[in-house]
Amino acid sequence: MQLRPFAGTYLTDPAVVWRELLNAPKGVHFADDLGLWVISRHEHVRRAFADAEAFGSALTLAPVYEMCPEALAVVMRLDVPPTTAAADSPVHARTRGALRATFAHTGPRVADRYGPIVGRRVTELVARIADRRGGVVDLVPEFTVLLPLLVVVDILGVPERDVPRIRSWADGQIALIWGQPEPAEQVRLAQGLLDFWHYCQALVARRTAEGATGDDFVSRALRHRDGDDAVLTPAEVASLAFNLLVAGHETTAGLLAHCLDRALSEPARWGRIAADPAAVPAFLEEVLRFGPAIDGWLRVALRPLTIGGVDIPAGGRCLLLIGAANRDPAAFADPDRFDPARMGGRGHLSFGYGPHFCIGAALARLEARIALVRLAEAMPELRLARGHQSRFKPNLAFRAHRTLLVTQARSSQRT
Ligand code: HEM
């Protein structure tokens, strides 16, 4: 089969393709256009996420196409040590342990440590948008992308003035790995990635020189390592920062855009968000299930294996189709119906499953909840602009809205 993720139906309405795959007699297919084994059923995707001995992560961040030699020459100069998402054990267990010790990831600790940052940044951005009432605003650059980016730079202790270039580097990394850029673009994006990596190394060097006394993530990680490379090397601290700056914003930006698109597509639903904030977590879970911000994720077979009756050779790269798994009727009743009151929506795989389960899930949920409620309270008359249609960037992993144009009647209250 051919998946053709960068154009046509998969790009505009992936659920059609997910349904076809789920209805096929086998749940695993080889996509000739990508050279990837596509795993679509909930049971199989969950098993692949859970079994890190059989499904490795070392190639998770390796491009899905053959890079041109010039771009490859630039990428070869990237000496980023693998940590967390791109690492297998024992490196994975060690670096994940360091991250768990230094980055708040449980609900109460996230609310305690990062809640004030999120609240402050949401207030600032909502006020900025409220000031623009009467005109058309694109919520993608002005809210859904900016909010998680500002939150993650605050957590990492990165100066706000660097936000535009971090945004451009992170966008570039996602296009370079999971997109389909032309050769000249590959070289430009690869160069950006190298600059991004040097930036993270310089950040760590600066914090080290200052004595790593601050409350920011980099200083915490440096204190955690306490000069011991067996705990974490300085390069691994830079690698964690490099990964968090991307993982911490592109994903949550996607979640926010999917939430707002869904919530604003029916004025009554938008009204209910402000009227009943206690129902928002269930709404969020259903958005996560129905349209995940990451709808495909890569693994590599570490040995010959059989899944769903299909043999995958050692070294075969696998695409775990999270979007399809979340619509599997074997896991969810009436899966193609968006139902915010769905019980058990938490069985979705949008944050992965098992040993690599997303460390930022609680932060993403907190950000989305606060952002939605505050925006709905401040701007009850916010509406999608006339003729709005969801259009996504062509990408195998990240399903990101290109725009989210909204208008707001002048009579709306201010924050
Ligand atoms: C809606 C938002 C998010 C989504 C959909 C998402 C999705 C995912 C997924 C699917 C994985 C599993 C990767 C794997 O199994 O290889 C993952 C891992 C990870 N996520 Fe998230 N993520 C989100 C938000 C965040 C945030 C806010 C952060 C941090 C600030 C973050 C940091 C990470 C890290 C460090 C890992 C690697 C964990 C490991 O390999 O042990 N994510 N995320």
Side-chain angles (χ1 to χ4, degrees):
M1 58 85 81
Q2 306 238 311
L3 192 65
R4 296 196 187 91
F6 305 115
T9 313
Y10 194 87
L11 183 59
T12 54
D13 193 0
V16 171
V17 179
W18 297 337
R19 174 69 33 232
E20 280 169 15
L21 290 171
L22 287 166
N23 285 341
K26 291 204 167 173
V28 179
H29 301 87
F30 186 71
D32 312 302
D33 55 332
L34 302 164
L36 297 175
W37 296 89
V38 178
I39 302 179
S40 50
R41 294 197 181 149
H42 189 276
E43 173 200 352
H44 300 149
V45 171
R46 192 173 60 177
R47 192 176 119 199
F49 269 129
D51 190 352
E53 303 282 305
F55 292 89
S57 292
L59 297 181
T60 292
L61 305 182
V64 291
Y65 55 88
E66 204 166 313
M67 261 190 183
C68 72
E70 295 78 8
L72 201 59
V74 179
V75 168
M76 295 301 278
R77 290 163 53 205
L78 269 169
D79 52 351
V80 189
T83 51
T84 61
D88 291 321
S89 272
V91 174
H92 175 254
R94 179 171 56 76
T95 54
R96 185 175 170 100
L99 193 54
R100 283 166 60 90
T102 49
F103 185 87
H105 56 281
T106 57
R109 288 192 61 209
V110 166
D112 184 45
R113 187 165 320 154
Y114 304 143
I117 294 177
V118 174
R120 185 165 49 82
R121 289 303 193 175
V122 169
T123 304
E124 180 187 321
L125 294 187
V126 169
R128 230 190 268 175
I129 295 168
D131 273 347
R132 306 257 310 271
R133 69 176 49 74
V136 175
V137 175
D138 185 353
L139 288 181
V140 168
E142 304 206 24
F143 193 73
T144 63
V145 168
L146 200 48
L147 173 66
L149 188 48
L150 288 169
V151 168
V152 81
V153 299
D154 285 351
I155 292 174
L156 266 79
V158 165
E160 188 173 333
R161 63 173 180 275
D162 293 339
V163 158
R165 48 184 179 152
I166 292 171
R167 182 178 174 195
S168 150
W169 287 330
D171 276 356
Q173 179 175 11
I174 286 171
L176 184 68
I177 298 175
W178 298 285
Q180 202 185 35
E182 294 296 324
E185 184 66 353
Q186 289 173 26
V187 177
R188 193 184 71 79
L189 298 178
Q191 187 56 53
L193 201 57
L194 196 58
D195 294 344
F196 188 14
W197 170 236
H198 291 155
Y199 175 90
C200 293
Q201 288 178 304
L203 175 68
V204 171
R206 225 169 37 241
R207 292 287 171 269
T208 308
E210 290 162 2
T213 52
D215 196 32
D216 60 282
F217 167 76
V218 172
S219 298
R220 280 174 175 274
L222 287 169
R223 287 202 298 277
H224 175 78
R225 92 173 201 94
D226 196 20
D228 185 353
D229 285 353
V231 175
L232 211 56
T233 67
E236 285 172 338
V237 177
S239 167
L240 288 174
F242 185 62
N243 291 335
L244 285 175
L245 283 171
V246 179
H249 95 268
E250 295 278 359
T251 50
T252 310
L255 171 62
L256 284 172
H258 287 284
C259 283
L260 286 166
D261 196 354
R262 246 321 113 193
L264 290 167
S265 61
E266 285 178 34
R269 185 175 284 153
W270 186 239
R272 278 199 299 275
I273 295 214
D276 186 10
V280 170
F283 169 77
L284 282 178
E285 290 314 305
E286 182 65 348
V287 173
L288 280 161
R289 181 192 73 84
F290 200 79
I294 291 182
D295 57 23
W297 202 242
L298 295 167
R299 285 288 192 268
V300 61
L302 294 178
R303 52 175 165 77
L305 45 92
T306 304
I307 186 158
V310 174
D311 295 329
I312 299 182
R317 288 185 85 185
C318 304
L319 178 66
L320 314 190
L321 219 46
I322 297 170
N326 285 355
R327 302 285 192 107
D328 187 340
F332 303 98
D334 201 1
D336 290 325
R337 191 162 69 91
F338 182 81
D339 177 7
R342 180 181 291 277
M343 299 301 286
R346 278 206 174 210
H348 67 68
L349 299 174
S350 300
F351 290 120
Y353 185 82
H356 287 270
F357 182 81
C358 178
I359 212 97
L363 175 60
R365 286 177 169 126
L366 179 85
E367 277 185 60
R369 183 174 55 75
I370 296 179
L372 272 182
V373 173
R374 293 266 187 94
L375 205 54
E377 283 171 354
M379 285 174 266
E381 288 162 38
L382 203 65
R383 299 287 178 268
L384 290 173
R386 199 183 299 269
H388 165 80
Q389 264 198 323
S390 310
R391 286 172 54 238
F392 305 107
K393 294 185 187 172
N395 199 275
L396 188 63
F398 287 74
R399 185 147 306 266
H401 283 68
R402 284 184 180 278
T403 57
L404 197 61
L405 300 178
V406 293
T407 55
Q408 193 200 177
R410 285 192 172 272
S411 58
S412 292
Q413 293 167 354
R414 298 199 58 162
T415 37

